[in-house]
Amino acid sequence: KKGVKVNGYFVQADHIVVATNSPVNDLVTMHTKQFPFRTYVIGGLIKKSVIEPALWWDTGNQKSKWYSQPYHYVRLQDYDENNYLLIAGGEDHKTGQADKEEIPEEERYQALEKWTRAKFPLLENIIHRWSGQVMEPIDHLGFIGKNPGDENTYIVTGDSGNGMTHGTIAGMLITDLINKKENPWQKIYDPARLMFDVAGTYAKEIGSMAGQYLDFLTPGDINSAKEIEPGDGAIMRVGMKKIAVFKDEQGMVHAFSAVCPHLGCVVQWNREEKSFDCPCHGSRFTCTGKVVNGPAISDLKEVKVTGKMEA
């Protein structure tokens, strides 16, 4: 708020817009109103002659343990003269908590392909697959406007997979707020809005988030780094500490504190993405401890490899 020094220059601004998916300027408030989910996507070829362009959704898993009731979504994209790329997504789970459904990250693509082929049996080769992170607001509506408690800092978050739409809305809404113009969407997207109608869900999700801190009391995934195959990682207990361990293809072990620098949750190893993911607020780190997704703004702390951390 007082300015920053960047590349040798001191920069100040009258208004600041934080459009970082998960707000990096806010320590707690917004992270109790929304929760991070991983979503999975595949792209496969399908003949243009057998399908009409459209968008499809299912109505979501009404029995899901996740309050977002994850749904599948499908659209078509031109690929070449004869084929569309059929893009199908879904199989969402809370970041760092795939194990709660006993379907690890690396098996989500197979589940998604099975669902897609059942609905689109003429689908041919799968040529792309990827995953992304979406922020799910507790009341399913995005947060666009002034950051709670601030006068000149604005945030855009809680996209729930609708980033293209919310990005457009934010461009108009935040521009009006900065220029002190009335905007009919200001109240409905207000990040400081109260959410009484979802109080039960809110309490449940806060309890789930708080429960992740119990990971400090649990054993590690492994007892020794010798159990890790090259190119893989795990969480290991060393005395009273939890350590994030990765063994590269050359067999060298890299070790870091498993404590997320945002608010102190224990990160989890994501074998599919080869990343360490925070199950509380969605911060993500590379296999070598570098932060790639907020709200954390610093890397995992490197620790010296000793004893059972040795390869």
Side-chain angles (χ1 to χ4, degrees):
K1 295 179 182 179
K2 297 180 181 179
V4 293
K5 190 174 183 180
V6 181
N7 297 333
Y9 295 91
F10 187 72
V11 182
Q12 289 179 297
D14 293 329
H15 301 278
I16 303 164
V17 180
V18 181
T20 53
N21 184 250
S22 180
V24 296
N25 60 307
D26 178 82
L27 189 63
V28 177
T29 305
M30 296 310 300
H31 304 298
T32 65
K33 293 184 174 185
Q34 61 179 357
F35 299 93
F37 282 76
R38 297 302 296 170
T39 190
Y40 298 82
V41 190
I42 57 173
L45 299 182
I46 191 167
K47 290 288 188 292
K48 289 183 175 180
S49 59
V50 302
I51 196 168
E52 294 294 328
L55 295 171
W56 296 269
W57 293 267
D58 64 24
T59 53
N61 180 2
Q62 305 301 306
K63 297 180 180 180
S64 171
K65 68 182 289 87
W66 313 121
Y67 75 90
S68 58
Q69 295 178 337
Y71 56 91
H72 294 91
Y73 46 96
V74 183
R75 71 177 178 89
L76 296 175
Q77 173 70 31
D78 268 330
Y79 184 75
D80 59 27
E81 184 177 347
N82 299 313
N83 298 287
Y84 286 121
L85 184 67
L86 187 144
I87 300 171
E91 304 301 323
D92 300 15
H93 63 82
K94 269 193 172 181
T95 300
Q97 299 187 39
D99 58 327
K100 285 194 172 182
E101 294 178 307
E102 298 182 353
I103 307 174
E105 287 91 346
E106 62 269 25
E107 294 181 15
R108 298 279 168 163
Y109 292 107
Q110 293 96 306
L112 179 57
E113 182 175 349
K114 181 179 179 181
W115 179 91
T116 306
R117 290 192 181 280
K119 304 297 182 184
F120 301 90
L122 296 178
L123 180 67
E124 297 179 359
N125 295 338
I126 304 298
I127 59 173
H128 295 295
R129 71 178 198 176
W130 67 98
S131 73
Q133 186 144 299
V134 295
M135 302 305 297
E136 290 284 357
I138 203 74
D139 64 354
H140 308 292
L141 192 65
F143 299 109
I144 306 172
K146 285 185 178 180
N147 190 56
D150 290 332
E151 282 302 312
N152 71 332
T153 303
Y154 307 82
I155 60 173
V156 187
T157 187
D159 289 324
S160 191
N162 294 300
M164 299 290 277
T165 301
H166 286 164
T168 304
I169 293 172
M172 295 184 281
L173 174 53
I174 292 178
T175 297
D176 284 348
L177 294 176
I178 290 173
N179 288 301
K180 300 187 184 302
K181 293 174 59 177
E182 289 292 324
N183 187 294
W185 307 324
Q186 179 176 347
K187 186 175 180 180
I188 196 170
Y189 288 110
D190 184 3
R193 67 183 181 267
L194 299 177
M195 296 180 281
F196 295 115
D197 291 345
V198 291
T201 302
Y202 179 83
K204 179 181 177 182
E205 294 305 315
I206 290 296
S208 173
M209 180 180 68
Q212 300 307 309
Y213 288 95
L214 295 175
D215 283 343
F216 280 100
L217 306 176
T218 62
D221 303 327
I222 56 171
N223 294 314
S224 167
K226 291 184 172 66
E227 300 175 40
I228 304 176
E229 295 294 326
D232 202 3
I235 305 300
M236 184 168 64
R237 175 175 289 285
V238 179
M240 297 298 292
K241 298 180 179 179
K242 284 289 188 76
I243 307 297
V245 182
F246 173 72
K247 185 181 290 186
D248 63 27
E249 296 294 346
Q250 288 70 46
M252 182 176 293
V253 171
H254 306 265
F256 313 88
S257 168
V259 178
C260 177
H262 174 231
L263 282 177
C265 273
V266 175
V267 298
Q268 304 294 316
W269 174 244
N270 179 338
R271 181 166 283 111
E272 175 60 34
E273 299 282 339
K274 295 192 182 301
S275 63
F276 292 103
D277 300 350
C278 177
C280 283
H281 307 107
S283 298
R284 301 183 66 236
F285 307 86
T286 68
C287 57
T288 54
K290 303 297 182 184
V291 64
V292 290
N293 202 112
I297 57 174
S298 59
D299 301 337
L300 295 177
K301 185 178 180 180
E302 191 169 2
V303 300
K304 186 178 180 180
V305 175
T306 60
K308 63 181 180 180
M309 286 188 285
E310 294 178 351

